[in-house]
Each structure stands twice: as structure tokens, then as C-alpha cells.
Amino acid sequence: MLGLLRSEGPATATTLATRLGLNSGATSYHLRQLEKHGFVVEDTTRGNARDRWWRAAHQATRADLADATTPEEHDTYDAYLQTVAMMYTEQLQRSVEELRLIPQAWQDAGNLSDWTLRLTPARARALVEALHEVIETWPEDDGPEAAPFKVNINAFLRPGSVGLDERIDAEPDGDDR
């Protein structure tokens, strides 16, 4: 729901329910939960008492594991990240399926690349922050050729690295490679 509100703009619970194949009661409940946690806000410029409109409160969401302090919060955080990973996978798969249907200029603009760098935790965090800054400050286009362009940053310790190299836990948080 949050992704739809960001990409398609404000909507009612009924509109979102139809779009997602859910009932409006469930959609309303989830919107209230998203509101409770600051992800969505009521769009008071639209609708009336019966026709409540919602919009995303922010254009990006970042979650920080350091904010989780209890086992329940860690479980919630894990469930959130699993959902995000699943949604990224679905969107990426759909983009690959549609690739040959879009204009060549958009085919050329997209990219599926990955790198493995050997970094300390401090340098890895600095890299992620630098990527966030580039994306957050990149100017958007208003022209007729402009379209929503999805950018995902997936940055993580290579799976299987923990336990294979005892230095991972022993490295100081320095600025070296």
C-alpha cells in the first residue's frame, strides 16, 4: 500500500483494496497502522468524512536495525525486511519480463549489476550513505519523456561470509580496506 501511495499518489482505502484485491476493511486497518507508525497521513485536501484519502508521508523509507531493542522489535524488523526483499524481487522480475516491451532508450537506461568490494563496516556504511546522497539529491525531470524510474540499493555482507573468516568480527571500525 505504501509503495502504491508513493508511486501512484493519494488514494482511498477502497481504491487501494480494489487495486490489491483485498477487502476495504483490511485495507483501512492497515492504513491506520501505517498512519500510527508515521508512514502515511490523511490527505485532507481530498475527500470528506466518508471518503478518506491517504498519501505517503515520505518518499523513502529507511529502517535501522539499531532501533530494534527487544526480541519482538527484532522479529518485526525481520518480517519487514523479508517483505521488502520479496517486493524488490517481484518488481525486478516484472521489469525483466517487460524489458523487451519498453522503448530502447529505457532498455539502455536500466542496469542489473553487482560488485563485491572488500570493506570495513565503517567504509561500507560510508559507501551506502554516499549512494543515498547521490540519489536523494539527483534532480527529477518534468518533461514529456520523464517516467517513474525505480532505484533500489541492496548492500549487504555477502551471504556465507560469517563464520568463514574470523576477521570479520575482529576488524576495527577503521577507515582502511
Side-chain angles (χ1 to χ4, degrees), residues 2 8 39 66 77 93 104 134-135 151 153-154 160 170 172:
L2 181 57
E8 297 179 8
F39 291 104
Y77 185 81
Q93 183 62 44
Q104 188 65 45
V134 166
I135 293 165
V151 178
I153 296 178
N154 302 303

Side-chain angles (χ1 to χ4, degrees), residues 1-12 16 31 34-35 37-44 46 53-61:
M1 280 187 266
L2 181 57
L4 286 175
L5 292 172
R6 283 189 179 140
S7 63
E8 297 179 8
T12 65
L16 289 169
L31 284 166
L34 289 168
E35 178 187 37
H37 296 287
F39 291 104
V40 301
V41 295
E42 186 174 356
D43 186 347
T44 56
R46 302 169 190 260
W53 285 72
W54 299 92
R55 64 176 176 81
H58 313 283
Q59 282 304 100
T61 299

Side-chain angles (χ1 to χ4, degrees), residues 44-148:
T44 56
T45 64
R46 302 169 190 260
N48 53 45
R50 279 191 43 122
D51 194 29
R52 195 170 182 191
W53 285 72
W54 299 92
R55 64 176 176 81
H58 313 283
Q59 282 304 100
T61 299
R62 290 193 208 165
D64 189 348
L65 181 57
D67 294 339
T69 58
T70 67
E72 294 80 16
E73 289 173 343
H74 282 281
D75 289 346
T76 300
Y77 185 81
D78 290 347
Y80 167 75
L81 289 180
Q82 288 290 333
T83 302
V84 168
M86 181 184 69
M87 291 178 65
Y88 284 174
T89 301
E90 289 174 1
Q91 288 179 352
L92 182 57
Q93 183 62 44
R94 283 185 25 222
S95 74
V96 170
E97 290 168 0
E98 296 173 3
L99 188 60
R100 295 289 170 215
L101 303 175
I102 62 176
Q104 188 65 45
W106 283 114
Q107 290 180 36
D108 295 342
N111 183 283
L112 299 177
S113 297
D114 69 275
W115 295 262
T116 299
L117 306 175
R118 187 161 177 82
L119 302 172
T120 64
R123 298 247 310 137
R125 181 156 182 104
L127 173 61
V128 169
E129 288 172 357
L131 292 169
H132 282 189
E133 184 176 339
V134 166
I135 293 165
E136 290 169 355
T137 60
W138 198 261
E140 292 195 48
D141 297 316
D142 292 331
E145 293 182 333

